[in-house]
Amino acid sequence: MPIPADARFWLARALGLWRRGWASLRTRGLRASWARLRAQFARRPAPTTVLWRPEPTPFAPFALATSGQPRASVVIPVHGAFPHTLACLRALAAHPPAVPFEVIVVDDASPDDTLARLGQVAGVRVHARATNGGFIAACNEGAALARGDWLVFLNNDTVPQPGWLDALLRTFDTQTDVGLVGAQLVYPDGRLQEAGGVVFADGAGWNYGRGEDPADCRYAYLRDADYLSGAAIALPRTLFERLGGFDMRYAPAYYEDTDLAFAVRAAGLRTLFQPAAVVAHDEGGTAGTDLASGPKAAQARNQAVFAAKWADALARQLPAGTLPTPARLHRDRPQVLLIDALTPQPDRDSGSVRLVNLMRLLRDEGAHVVFLPANRSADGAYTQALQALGIECWHAPWAPGIPAWLRAHGPRFHAAMVSRHYVASEVFPLLRRHAPQARLLFDTVDLHFLRERRAAELAGDAAALRAADATRARELALIGMADATFVVSDVERALLAREAPGARVRVLSNLHVLPAPGPGRAGRRDLLFVGGFRHPPNVDAVRWFVEAVFPRVRAALPGIGFHCIGGDVPPAIAALAGIDGVHVHGHVPDLRPWLDGCVAAVAPLRYGAGVKGKVNEAMAHGLPVVGTPAAVEGMHLVDGHDVLVGADAEAFAAAIARLHGDADLWTRLARHGRDNVARHFSLDAARDVVRETFLAR
């Protein structure tokens, strides 16, 4: 009787863990293997919302650090309820945004002493209305007084959290075609109030995520939303003016924010929910919550007004009564699932850079991207960085075991890509069962069996060679199961043409966004190596370079230094820092000082597979590279034109000395290296492959 797919997953996971553990013990030793195991299965806690609130002390005059030349104008309409307004203003005073801002408080004929007390808050522009006109009239009048490039509407019964405004406005810089951005609204007790709004076909609204945990994977990523609550929204002032402000047909209030979102989209712009902008909102603190009387009574009446105005647009919305889910919210775009062993850490390894830039490219091409790490662990700032790109990231505790998660989510995907053979071995049968409609893609990252075989041949290790053959069998089996397989170089594609004839193999190489080039040759000194030391070829490369190459370099260039940068430094590499001129830095989040200050990057790899991110990264910054044949394999590089190549220690050292002493050669290599990255390793270079394999119908 065949084994069910779910049971096969757990069996494959156990066998895969045993194989990788044994291989790691052989190549890394017990200590490093144990650290790797702990990292693989660590359950990092998901981020939780800890709210800041001002102390409820009696009122006394204070000041806001506003600007006479604001970039953002924060408009706060008020009608009585001064304790709410006081808490809001105290929050702005205690944690002022980094962007220059002004605060315009529109007093809508408050029945209490609000107006008098506002006069004692320095840095606030107060506009007093003679008669009460309601929320819409107050907001429109405040907007007419604004001087900033952005208009920000903020309810007075809110406590904006530190960084909220900068996060809202940053969205306009990091995303394209953005017209309106709304904050994550939370209740004072930290529960989610709204992660953007959903509008149904009858015009009714739904506060997505109400009452849930803000860290829940369904709500924690940047997302297009049907509407954003006017309690905390931002948009360009010129756009608000062009749209005619809040529509007065909804006066005094309610549905004006929903109407604005529909108008923004009708103008061809996006309306986005930004979870990084957190605002605590005491919902109903000023208008109440009774839909039958008072200001809230207009909500039911205005639904009919809104539905009549936007009848054509509403025909494309979810039917009334539908339960909003991520699958349904992104129903208008192809949904693509990416699975890798861990959450990518692009400041630590080149494979992560490639994966994150693939996500960017997929989003640019109109796909909605879902990421699931095989260890189901949230990884702090790395997970949050993906969510800030608009990636729907899943992790424990909201993602149960992978079989259960795929049962629930599998039917939504147009394509699913799994990276690394040991992850794909576990997941492919589940995907075939629970997502049979999805195009199944295997990302080798690099051909593991090729790297293992080369390492075994270099070491003369017969047991390791047999292990490489076993890896080959597993990788070829997965290639046979997949609808398409990705390799990172033409060298690996040619190899698979022999090893797996008939398989559909495409090159999806390293992906880089070219930064501005670094400075020229003058003033540079020293050599740079970058590479994480969880990767055994990097350990071998640095030891060989320091022991065999660097003494020859120092003999030719006395005083030159070698900077070794990369995380997870083992004792054998740390010990090299005792050698004169060798500097072992460990992990460095920002490489720019070394990329701008060193005269060359070295890639002394004696074995490996795939395309080397350390080479791409240096070239992208305009830093010439000296490498071994293994380091530049499959990268379209020509010795003497794009790169210098040394096959042994003597040739490698001679290449470094030659580059160091020839400024014209240095300049040519810097220019040609950047050109090479742009031609072969940019997002544009991969666009056609991504369209064909992930998105074609």
Side-chain angles (χ1 to χ4, degrees):
M1 188 175 76
I3 301 174
D6 290 13
R8 290 173 63 191
F9 168 82
W10 296 113
L11 179 61
R13 169 155 289 193
L15 290 173
L17 178 62
W18 183 86
R19 291 192 195 100
R20 299 198 306 279
W22 179 245
S24 183
L25 283 171
R26 290 176 56 83
T27 58
R28 299 182 177 91
L30 179 61
R31 181 178 176 182
S33 297
W34 176 246
R36 189 176 176 88
L37 183 68
R38 291 178 61 190
Q40 177 80 17
F41 290 100
R43 283 288 180 265
R44 299 174 181 86
T48 57
T49 302
V50 179
L51 298 179
W52 181 90
R53 294 195 67 84
E55 293 294 329
T57 56
F59 174 74
F62 62 99
L64 274 67
T66 51
S67 171
Q69 296 181 312
R71 296 293 311 283
S73 298
V74 181
V75 177
I76 305 175
V78 304
H79 178 70
F82 182 72
H84 283 295
T85 305
L86 177 60
C88 180
L89 295 177
R90 280 176 167 169
L92 294 173
H95 300 284
V99 65
F101 73 107
E102 66 175 350
V103 174
I104 302 169
V105 177
V106 181
D107 181 73
D108 195 19
S110 293
D112 57 10
D113 59 353
T114 290
L115 187 58
R117 295 197 176 196
L118 287 172
Q120 300 178 65
V121 182
V124 174
R125 296 175 62 194
V126 180
H127 173 67
R129 303 189 78 250
T131 59
N132 178 251
F135 180 86
I136 294 176
C139 285
N140 284 345
E141 287 193 17
L145 300 171
R147 298 172 296 183
D149 298 323
W150 286 286
L151 273 176
V152 183
F153 294 102
L154 184 67
N155 275 18
N156 72 318
D157 56 356
T158 63
V159 177
Q161 300 299 293
W164 73 285
L165 182 55
D166 298 305
L168 276 182
L169 300 184
R170 190 163 52 244
T171 314
F172 292 95
D173 296 327
T174 60
Q175 301 293 313
T176 58
D177 301 324
V178 181
L180 179 68
V181 182
Q184 179 193 85
L185 299 179
V186 297
Y187 288 108
D189 65 3
R191 290 177 302 123
L192 186 59
Q193 184 180 115
E194 178 190 299
V198 177
V199 177
F200 297 108
D202 63 352
W206 176 288
N207 299 111
Y208 188 53
R210 180 184 289 270
E212 302 282 358
D213 189 326
D216 188 316
C217 302
R218 293 172 291 175
Y219 315 119
Y221 62 98
L222 182 80
R223 194 189 80 253
D224 292 83
D226 292 342
Y227 78 92
L228 296 312
S229 171
I233 56 175
L235 74 165
R237 177 168 55 86
T238 54
L239 176 62
F240 188 74
E241 293 169 350
R242 176 156 54 94
L243 297 177
F246 286 124
D247 192 333
M248 287 299 297
R249 77 183 75 185
Y250 301 105
Y254 295 104
Y255 268 88
E256 74 288 332
D257 47 9
T258 313
D259 178 89
L260 178 66
F262 274 63
V264 168
R265 285 196 299 281
L269 298 171
R270 298 168 66 196
T271 54
L272 296 179
F273 160 68
Q274 175 53 271
V278 180
V279 173
H281 181 212
D282 187 6
E283 187 180 39
T286 54
T289 58
D290 186 357
L291 295 176
S293 63
K296 290 284 282 187
Q299 185 169 330
R301 180 182 69 250
N302 284 346
Q303 178 180 337
V305 177
F306 172 80
K309 178 179 178 181
W310 294 102
D312 290 343
L314 288 173
R316 297 186 291 274
Q317 298 297 112
L318 288 172
T322 303
L323 178 65
T325 64
R328 287 171 174 150
L329 294 182
H330 300 289
R331 64 196 180 280
D332 60 336
R333 293 191 284 168
Q335 300 184 46
V336 174
L337 172 64
L338 304 181
I339 301 177
D340 200 355
L342 305 170
T343 298
Q345 301 179 349
D347 61 340
R348 289 182 173 269
D349 66 88
S350 62
S352 292
V353 174
R354 173 176 174 264
L355 183 57
V356 171
N357 281 332
L358 173 60
M359 295 182 192
R360 287 192 172 99
L361 180 52
L362 284 165
R363 282 188 52 79
D364 287 349
E365 290 297 315
H368 173 63
V369 180
V370 181
F371 176 71
L372 176 68
N375 69 345
R376 297 185 301 113
S377 180
D379 201 358
Y382 295 109
T383 297
Q384 293 166 10
L386 293 182
Q387 292 168 332
L389 292 175
I391 309 303
E392 182 186 328
C393 297
W394 283 85
H395 52 76
W398 294 280
I402 290 179
W405 189 88
L406 284 175
R407 276 198 302 273
H409 292 268
R412 62 192 279 208
F413 296 114
H414 179 76
M417 185 189 86
V418 186
S419 296
R420 302 172 211 280
H421 71 88
Y422 51 87
V423 181
S425 296
E426 300 171 354
V427 175
F428 266 22
L430 292 173
L431 285 167
R432 283 300 189 205
R433 177 178 178 83
H434 300 304
Q437 80 295 334
R439 186 171 298 144
L440 189 57
L441 307 173
F442 175 38
D443 178 28
T444 62
V445 180
D446 62 27
L447 285 174
H448 287 54
F449 81 83
L450 179 61
R451 171 160 44 85
E452 291 176 9
R453 179 191 296 167
R454 288 172 170 175
E457 291 171 347
L458 183 66
D461 188 333
L465 195 58
R466 289 192 297 272
D469 288 340
T471 299
R472 171 185 173 275
R474 286 190 291 273
E475 286 189 293
L476 293 181
L478 291 165
I479 290 167
M481 292 176 62
D483 295 316
T485 294
F486 296 125
V487 294
V488 294
S489 73
D490 288 322
V491 170
E492 293 187 348
R493 179 168 59 180
L495 174 62
L496 288 183
R498 299 189 299 272
E499 298 272 2
R504 188 182 181 205
V505 179
R506 300 301 308 272
V507 174
L508 182 62
S509 197
N510 285 3
L511 298 171
H512 292 270
V513 178
L514 261 71
R521 171 65 180 85
R524 290 176 176 267
R525 55 175 298 166
D526 293 348
L527 306 172
L528 173 66
F529 173 88
V530 178
F533 290 104
R534 290 174 61 182
H535 192 53
N538 289 339
V539 178
D540 176 80
V542 170
R543 293 185 65 179
W544 177 72
F545 179 80
V546 172
E547 294 167 2
V549 180
F550 194 53
R552 290 177 165 87
V553 175
R554 292 274 284 189
L557 302 170
I560 195 169
F562 171 58
H563 298 271
C564 177
I565 295 177
D568 305 293
V569 178
I573 298 298
L576 299 177
I579 297 174
D580 189 33
V582 176
H583 309 277
V584 178
H585 298 280
H587 171 64
V588 173
D590 183 7
L591 294 174
R592 174 66 74 169
W594 287 272
L595 292 167
D596 287 351
C598 288
V599 73
V602 296
L605 294 166
R606 296 197 296 167
Y607 71 93
V611 170
K612 311 307 180 292
K614 60 181 69 67
V615 174
N616 283 140
E617 183 175 27
M619 288 182 168
H621 282 82
L623 178 61
V625 172
V626 179
T628 57
V632 303
E633 180 185 65
M635 298 185 68
H636 314 279
L637 297 170
V638 176
D639 185 15
H641 184 271
D642 311 290
V643 66
L644 294 184
V645 180
D648 56 33
E650 185 174 353
F652 204 103
I656 292 173
R658 177 187 170 200
L659 178 64
H660 188 278
D662 190 336
D664 290 339
L665 173 64
W666 191 98
T667 301
R668 290 198 303 274
L669 292 181
R671 183 175 65 252
H672 295 159
R674 277 179 58 85
D675 291 345
N676 176 274
V677 175
R679 278 196 309 274
H680 301 291
F681 304 105
S682 65
L683 272 62
D684 282 340
R687 203 171 294 276
D688 287 344
V689 171
V690 166
R691 288 171 178 168
E692 175 191 340
T693 52
F694 284 92
L695 304 176
R697 296 292 181 182

